[in-house]
Amino acid sequence: MIDIDFREQIMAILLLLSLLATAAISDSAVPTENMSNKERNELKEEAREMFYHGYQAYLENAFPADELMPLSCAGRYRGVTPSRGDMDDVLGNFSMTLVDTLDTLVILGDLEEFEHAVKLVIKNVSFDNNIIVSVFETNIRMIGGLLSAHILAEYIQKEANMMMWYRGELLEMAKDLGYRLLPAFNTSTGIPHARVNLREGMKSEELRHSRETCTACAGTILLEFAALSRLSGEPIFETKAHAAMDALWKIRHRGSDLMGTTLNVHSGDWIRRDSGVGAGIDSYYEYCLKSYVLLGDERYLARFNRHYNAVMKYISQGPMLLDVLMHRPHAKSRNFMDALLAFWPGLQVLTGDLKPAVQTHEMLYQVMQMHTFIPEAFTFDFQIHWGQHPLRPEFIESTYFLYKATGDHYYLQVGKKVLRTLQQHAKVPCGYAAVNDVRTGKHEDRMDSFVLSETFKYLYLLFADDSELILDLDDFIFTTEAHLLPLSLGQFTNVTTDFKDEDDYHMLDFMRSCPSPNKLFPNTVRRPIRDLVTGICPRVSSNKRLRAQDFQVSNADHLRTVYDMGITMVSLGEGKVQLLHSFYNAKSPEDAERGLVFMQEMVELSKQQATSPTMQLQAVFFKKADGSYEILKAGPSHFSPELTDDQSVHQKAVFAEPFRLCSALQNSIENRIAIVERGDCTFIEKARLAQKGGALAVVVIDNTANTSSDNQPMFAMSGDGKDDVIIPVVFLFSADGTILKRAIKENPELEINIMQMMALGKKLANELNVLKITLN
């Protein structure tokens, strides 16, 4: 790989050796044979018992508090128990753990307890509290929990003939809470404030100077708000959430397509430019993809794919995900990873990109084995950075999705290890306690609501057979808090959106990767993995290898092929592209080998093109008022006729309208040399429109300021493989183009010439015998 520090290469090699060594230990320590149905069923029932141990402890000792304090065996109330600072923004004195846990009861098939819990929520929960809460946490835990429970209550009415008394009370509660969150969206950008007062909105004195929020905080709203709008018939929630997502997309870094971590909700300026997939950003990426899955809105698929490609280019380093600076993506921004990135393999499963999902999951599993739990943050060599472990669900979530995708019992064994670890190191008489430091095993008086809502839910689902569930989970999508929203919500909406207004997407943004994992891993490391999307997005095998001389950058199949070979393209500006090849990024070892051959061919082809006499430097020239010549160096094109020897075009020049000529002409350019500007569409599209308008030739002027033929290498404009342009087309850098534009404005009748530079040199030397031209 080029442009990488040698010291970093050595560190990467040492890290790889460490990973391989740990993998060998892992394989010997954990059996990978198929788990018997008996053992699997026993683990499923143990996971159920674990849930009830925590759930009953909460109901008996903490309800109606938001959380259980398992060491104190008491409830945690906002304003009553000692403050934990910003950590308490999750609390609203609205029985959060119970609301967050409702749909887990349905997953477990306990409909009687679900009915009992719903009655408790309806009777006891109120939101008219003078309390400042996190908009993000309140949305994903409370609104998500209420909506999922409402949907399941209606499902139970229909399918089990139970809860016939229920009349949508949970939906009304969700709507009430949604309206209490709406004042947070009253910003100039549409990006919501991080916190809001449930009673006073943003009028609270404590919120007067509120301005900062995290990307995930602002970008993890849409699933719940869209569901709320579509279930209640009130479009404002979905409208506000779409606007926030649109605003976030607009402030991404245009060069890298990465997002920062913290921003100003009033100006949209970035405050922290660290970019990764962990804390502060994680669920924004998740909701980009899941919003497309739930709502069918293609803008979110396009956005996710742009972000995903950027993450895989800059942040993904083999099995590791390393934070970078969004505006300088080749520069690492910190020397540790955080536990929240453990959700990423599960999201990759949803995209069908299994190889990196397996790699990152395995790396995380090794970290867990090394430290008992995955610490809140750990360094690149797997040492502890922050030692806490609040019983997070993300790793078991990814384990569940990898098992569902592959059927590989290895992941059942991983789940068994997680279960045993929780039982041995987190279980206390009054629930399950977070670990304050994984090095000492010391407990913390804390059991977050997500332990019951997510951790035990995914653990149970991992060992449960689909036939044992009363729900068909294929009909639902999990929110970031593991709440269930039905895919049928995408079939109706009263919100109008206009995807066509987006001008930043292109065809590749909608392409999916459907890699076959059958050859990705040797049997000694991992048994063959079945493809998640077999039969849905099949890959057609072909022994025909793409050759460098056949490669066309405008061909989507070619781009996908080189991507599969582990080749990425980085634009360097001025029409130059750098190709980077990584063995790790290839879909298979065979693809990686093809990639090496392709790169070798491309190097040879570049050398040939650099010395090829077939594409010669062109010249645009005209006579100035003093009788001398202004000569401008111009680049040729691969798709138009080349002017050779004494061939030339001589005619009056005219600016095309529109100047970039990507739509129908609005003025006459017939029998003229058309002057157009680069941008908005391809070179060849401009040429076709000019040719259709009757132009004799086209001069394309660069749209990047201050580029010049004096300090930048000229290049030949590429086409799309079709030879239907029959007029000459040449390219001028912006500094040279400015000279031409000024001359035309001073003399609208100016006649210009286009011909080969070498031929012009001979012509002028013969005619004037005074001009010397140095050719590059």
Side-chain angles (χ1 to χ4, degrees):
M1 192 168 180
I2 46 184
D3 297 332
I4 185 170
D5 187 81
F6 179 74
R7 185 166 171 267
E8 290 188 26
Q9 287 183 337
I10 296 299
M11 290 178 65
I13 293 171
L14 291 174
L15 175 63
L16 176 60
L17 293 175
S18 173
L19 283 171
L20 292 175
T22 314
I25 296 172
S26 172
D27 279 346
S28 63
V30 179
T32 57
E33 67 271 9
N34 283 358
M35 182 179 288
S36 68
N37 290 335
K38 179 178 181 294
E39 182 180 12
R40 183 174 172 180
N41 189 62
E42 289 173 349
L43 291 169
K44 177 195 69 176
E45 292 306 316
E46 188 171 356
R48 182 198 298 273
E49 292 170 5
M50 293 169 72
F51 168 81
Y52 281 111
H53 178 69
Y55 177 72
Q56 293 297 339
Y58 166 77
L59 280 185
E60 295 170 6
N61 302 283
F63 179 79
D66 282 323
E67 290 179 353
L68 167 69
M69 296 191 296
L71 302 183
S72 304
C73 218
R76 186 184 301 282
Y77 291 90
R78 185 78 170 269
V80 177
T81 46
S83 172
R84 300 175 296 172
D86 291 346
M87 214 175 135
D88 279 348
D89 286 346
V90 69
L91 308 176
N93 289 346
F94 38 34
S95 303
M96 180 177 62
T97 293
L98 184 59
V99 173
D100 209 8
T101 302
L102 291 174
D103 57 7
T104 307
L105 292 166
V106 178
I107 292 289
L108 295 173
D110 193 346
L111 302 187
E112 291 184 0
E113 182 56 33
F114 173 72
E115 181 174 12
H116 172 245
V118 169
K119 289 179 178 179
L120 285 178
V121 169
I122 294 172
K123 179 180 179 181
N124 294 280
V125 175
S126 170
F127 305 122
D128 187 24
N129 305 323
N130 186 18
I131 291 177
I132 294 174
V133 298
S134 162
V135 174
F136 161 70
E137 297 286 4
T138 303
N139 175 63
I140 65 171
R141 302 197 199 201
M142 295 297 298
I143 292 183
L146 290 168
L147 292 177
S148 181
H150 162 73
I151 290 161
L152 295 177
E154 292 194 333
Y155 176 87
I156 290 169
Q157 282 183 330
K158 180 181 178 181
E159 299 296 328
N161 201 32
M162 293 177 59
M163 298 183 67
M164 304 310 293
W165 55 268
Y166 179 73
R167 292 294 182 269
E169 291 88 346
L170 297 178
L171 177 59
E172 289 301 311
M173 294 176 69
K175 188 167 65 172
D176 174 29
L177 184 53
Y179 275 114
R180 293 176 186 272
L181 298 185
L182 282 184
F185 290 80
N186 293 332
T187 63
S188 56
T189 61
I191 298 172
H193 289 276
R195 302 185 299 160
V196 68
N197 189 296
L198 289 176
R199 181 178 294 167
E200 300 179 359
M202 297 305 298
K203 297 177 182 179
S204 172
E205 182 63 29
E206 293 180 61
L207 299 176
R208 182 177 298 275
H209 301 293
S210 171
R211 64 185 182 91
E212 293 184 13
T213 193
C214 71
T215 302
C217 302
T220 314
I221 305 288
L222 183 53
L223 291 186
E224 291 83 2
F225 267 38
L228 181 55
S229 282
R230 298 185 183 206
L231 291 169
S232 69
E234 300 190 22
I236 187 171
F237 304 107
E238 184 171 352
T239 300
K240 292 288 188 181
H242 279 301
M245 293 294 276
D246 291 344
L248 287 171
W249 171 250
K250 289 177 182 177
I251 64 172
R252 77 194 185 283
H253 191 272
R254 296 301 182 100
S256 66
D257 279 330
L258 294 174
M259 304 293 286
T261 304
T262 309
L263 57 103
N264 186 311
V265 299
H266 299 300
S267 66
D269 294 333
W270 289 105
I271 297 171
R272 285 189 55 196
R273 296 171 179 261
D274 308 68
S275 188
V277 298
I281 305 179
D282 49 0
S283 48
Y284 162 74
Y285 290 141
E286 180 183 0
Y287 271 39
C288 279
L289 180 59
K290 289 184 177 180
S291 293
Y292 167 70
V293 175
L294 180 66
L295 308 177
D297 191 330
E298 290 188 338
R299 80 178 110 167
Y300 295 110
L301 175 61
R303 292 174 187 179
F304 173 79
N305 283 339
R306 288 278 283 276
H307 287 316
Y308 185 75
N309 290 337
V311 168
M312 299 308 290
K313 178 191 293 186
Y314 299 118
I315 294 171
S316 176
Q317 301 292 325
M320 300 194 301
L321 296 160
L322 312 180
D323 278 27
V324 301
L325 297 173
M326 60 179 284
H327 59 297
R328 289 194 294 137
H330 294 293
K332 301 293 182 289
S333 65
R334 63 184 191 181
N335 64 349
F336 62 88
M337 293 174 276
D338 65 73
L340 283 170
L341 63 78
F343 91 101
W344 186 254
L347 191 64
Q348 289 181 308
V349 169
L350 188 58
T351 73
D353 201 1
L354 290 178
K355 177 187 176 183
V358 170
Q359 287 180 323
T360 298
H361 179 274
E362 183 63 20
M363 179 270 293
L364 291 166
Y365 185 43
Q366 293 164 14
V367 173
M368 174 190 158
Q369 289 180 297
M370 186 179 296
H371 300 295
T372 307
F373 291 100
I374 298 176
E376 195 73 341
F378 53 93
T379 58
F380 298 166
D381 57 353
F382 304 156
Q383 300 307 303
I384 295 170
H385 185 76
W386 297 327
Q388 305 94 328
H389 178 74
L391 313 185
R392 290 198 182 278
E394 286 79 12
F395 178 70
I396 195 63
E397 172 187 359
S398 288
T399 304
Y400 165 69
F401 284 115
L402 274 166
Y403 175 69
K404 299 302 291 184
T406 66
D408 191 340
H409 281 225
Y410 177 85
Y411 296 108
L412 295 178
Q413 300 292 350
V414 172
K416 177 182 176 181
K417 177 73 172 179
V418 172
L419 184 149
R420 293 281 178 259
T421 301
L422 288 170
Q423 291 285 65
Q424 182 177 352
H425 299 284
K427 187 176 183 180
V428 294
C430 196
Y432 287 83
V435 178
N436 182 260
D437 193 324
V438 299
R439 287 164 289 203
T440 64
K442 180 182 177 182
H443 286 137
E444 185 176 345
D445 202 5
R446 170 184 178 188
M447 189 180 86
D448 290 83
S449 67
F450 56 65
V451 177
L452 299 180
S453 174
E454 298 184 79
T455 305
F456 292 143
K457 179 185 291 175
Y458 283 123
L459 197 58
Y460 176 84
L461 287 173
L462 176 64
F463 298 115
D465 190 85
D466 290 344
S467 62
E468 300 172 315
L469 304 175
I470 67 171
L471 299 172
D472 184 352
L473 295 183
D474 290 339
D475 294 335
F476 296 86
I477 191 167
F478 286 102
T479 69
T480 195
E481 191 72 8
H483 293 308
L484 297 169
L485 295 178
L487 297 177
S488 58
L489 285 174
Q491 298 174 2
F492 58 92
T493 179
N494 52 8
V495 176
T496 302
T497 59
D498 187 2
F499 173 63
K500 294 181 180 178
D501 285 344
E502 297 285 357
D503 60 358
D504 291 316
Y505 307 135
H506 50 75
M507 178 175 60
L508 287 180
D509 294 337
F510 299 95
M511 294 183 64
R512 289 190 58 210
S513 169
C514 293
S516 171
N518 292 328
K519 299 180 180 179
L520 295 183
F521 305 99
N523 289 332
T524 55
V525 178
R526 184 65 40 81
R527 64 181 64 236
I529 301 173
R530 297 195 297 273
D531 195 345
L532 169 66
V533 289
T534 300
I536 298 175
C537 188
R539 299 273 307 225
V540 179
S541 61
S542 174
N543 294 324
K544 186 177 180 180
R545 183 179 64 81
L546 176 65
R547 300 180 303 170
Q549 55 264 41
D550 299 327
F551 174 69
Q552 294 176 0
V553 73
S554 59
N555 187 310
D557 290 335
H558 288 183
L559 290 173
R560 177 53 57 195
T561 298
V562 298
Y563 179 77
D564 287 351
M565 292 190 295
I567 297 171
T568 56
M569 288 181 289
V570 180
S571 174
L572 303 178
E574 293 82 50
K576 294 184 290 184
V577 174
Q578 183 181 47
L579 297 181
L580 303 174
H581 181 258
S582 170
F583 198 92
Y584 276 122
N585 291 337
K587 295 300 180 184
S588 70
E590 292 83 358
D591 283 321
E593 292 175 5
R594 294 189 190 102
L596 290 174
V597 175
F598 181 89
M599 291 291 283
Q600 292 168 356
E601 291 179 349
M602 190 61 74
V603 170
E604 292 301 318
L605 189 61
S606 298
K607 291 178 180 178
Q608 294 173 11
Q609 290 181 344
T611 58
S612 173
T614 59
M615 299 301 293
Q616 294 290 342
L617 195 67
Q618 304 291 296
V620 174
F621 65 99
F622 54 89
K623 186 176 287 189
K624 298 190 290 187
D626 61 4
S628 63
Y629 284 90
E630 184 73 64
I631 302 173
L632 307 172
K633 294 179 184 178
S637 76
H638 286 297
F639 56 80
S640 67
E642 183 183 359
L643 298 173
T644 59
D645 300 328
D646 58 353
Q647 292 178 334
S648 67
V649 178
H650 175 84
Q651 190 49 268
K652 293 179 181 178
V654 59
F655 295 116
E657 297 178 7
F659 192 28
R660 292 198 172 179
L661 197 55
C662 293
S663 56
L665 269 166
Q666 299 173 10
N667 67 324
S668 175
I669 59 173
E670 189 172 3
N671 294 321
R672 295 288 187 268
I673 296 177
I675 313 299
V676 305
E677 186 178 53
R678 181 183 188 179
D680 296 342
C681 61
T682 62
F683 294 123
I684 196 168
E685 288 172 328
K686 299 176 191 292
R688 287 177 179 138
L689 286 170
Q691 178 173 278
K692 184 177 179 181
L696 299 179
V698 180
V699 177
V700 181
I701 297 176
D702 196 7
N703 62 340
T704 303
N706 301 320
T707 59
S708 171
S709 59
D710 291 334
N711 52 32
Q712 286 163 300
M714 191 59 72
F715 66 94
M717 295 176 287
S718 61
D720 58 7
K722 297 180 181 178
D723 299 324
D724 56 352
V725 175
I726 60 175
I727 59 175
V729 183
V730 297
F731 176 85
L732 290 178
F733 283 116
S734 61
D736 305 290
T738 298
I739 297 172
L740 177 61
K741 289 189 290 184
R742 186 187 306 120
I744 296 173
K745 289 177 181 178
E746 292 174 354
N747 178 16
E749 298 299 315
L750 182 70
E751 295 183 356
I752 66 174
N753 299 265
I754 304 173
M755 68 183 304
Q756 189 183 91
M757 181 65 85
M758 185 176 293
L760 172 63
K762 294 178 181 178
K763 175 183 169 90
L764 293 179
N766 291 336
E767 291 182 2
L768 304 176
N769 199 28
V770 293
L771 184 65
K772 293 183 179 180
I773 300 178
T774 302
L775 301 178
N776 288 340

